[in-house]
Amino acid sequence: MKMFLLAAVPVIGAVSVLLAWHSAARRRRSDCREAITVWESAAASGRADALEPLRAADRPSAAAWYLTGVSWLREGRIRQAARCFGIAHHLEERIETAALLTFSCLKAREGSDSDLVEQIFKTWDEMKRPDLLRFDEDRLLIDSVCRTAPPAPPLSAVGRLAWGVVPSHLHSRVEPLLGSVRAKAEGPASAPRGAEDMSLIES
């Protein structure tokens, strides 16, 4: 009996860890969906205010901070947006696009001639082109910001991210940059490896 109990301890421990992992994953998705519901239900001008209770909660919502950053970004308030994205990534490191957007905002110019779109693509490239759809949180957030933006043409994941978060007057810069991304990925001889790289980011 003693040997049985000793053998069962590692199994019980592993099951407990697995259950805790699944519980945490469900909670993260639930928190993300809650913030998205608030974001999509509010008028565009009031979204940051509507998300404030979720940002100020005892357990602050990373998704609420992220979407607040998108609100500021669409208004051209790039430095304020950078802070929000930084907090979002600190609260939930699985939201990888928050890190990408933090660095992009810190490097971008503010104003009507902002190079924000270019910085998003450049930063994604510098980060070795991560799969932006790897985690549920990023997929849910990208889908939401695109639903609340003007209709987009067919775009890759990084293109959809840029389209969803930048002010509408910068949308015309998104598609031309996708062409340069493909050319760089494929190389001068259109090597097969480039096609594989692009398959990771197509939505």
Side-chain angles (χ1 to χ4, degrees):
M1 183 67 176
K2 184 178 180 181
M3 291 299 295
F4 173 78
L5 291 174
L6 288 174
V9 167
V11 176
I12 294 170
V15 170
S16 298
V17 169
L18 186 62
L19 289 173
W21 184 86
H22 279 293
S23 176
R26 284 196 303 270
R27 187 187 70 244
R28 287 195 302 268
R29 287 192 295 269
S30 175
D31 290 349
C32 193
R33 290 190 176 100
E34 181 183 14
I36 286 170
T37 297
V38 171
W39 156 268
E40 294 187 2
S41 300
S45 60
R47 285 179 177 143
D49 288 339
L51 290 165
E52 198 278 334
L54 297 181
R55 297 195 306 270
D58 291 339
R59 191 184 65 195
S61 166
W65 277 103
Y66 183 102
L67 293 169
T68 300
V70 176
S71 289
W72 296 150
L73 210 52
R74 288 179 177 178
E75 294 182 14
R77 297 157 71 173
I78 295 177
R79 297 296 172 260
Q80 286 178 271
R83 176 176 176 272
C84 292
F85 293 129
I87 293 172
H89 192 256
H90 175 74
L91 291 170
E92 179 49 74
E93 63 181 12
R94 285 169 59 94
I95 305 179
E96 293 186 333
T97 56
L100 189 159
L101 291 171
T102 300
F103 292 123
S104 301
C105 289
L106 290 174
K107 294 185 294 182
R109 296 189 305 270
E110 289 195 325
S112 58
D113 65 338
S114 175
D115 60 344
L116 177 60
V117 174
E118 290 81 356
Q119 291 297 346
I120 290 173
F121 279 81
K122 183 178 179 181
T123 303
W124 175 73
D125 193 48
E126 290 170 347
M127 292 173 69
K128 303 189 184 301
R129 304 183 174 205
D131 176 8
L132 301 184
L133 305 180
R134 186 158 68 107
F135 293 118
D136 289 341
E137 293 82 357
D138 277 321
R139 287 196 294 269
L140 290 168
L141 289 165
I142 291 174
D143 284 348
S144 180
V145 298
C146 284
R147 279 197 299 270
T148 55
L155 297 169
S156 67
V158 67
R160 292 181 68 223
L161 174 67
W163 186 278
V165 302
V166 303
S168 57
H169 73 271
L170 295 179
H171 284 164
S172 61
R173 300 189 183 185
V174 175
E175 285 189 276
L177 284 172
L178 283 172
S180 65
V181 165
R182 289 192 175 92
K184 187 172 181 180
E186 293 169 357
S190 297
R193 177 157 167 48
E196 291 171 7
D197 289 345
M198 289 305 300
S199 70
L200 293 176
I201 61 166
E202 291 296 338
S203 29

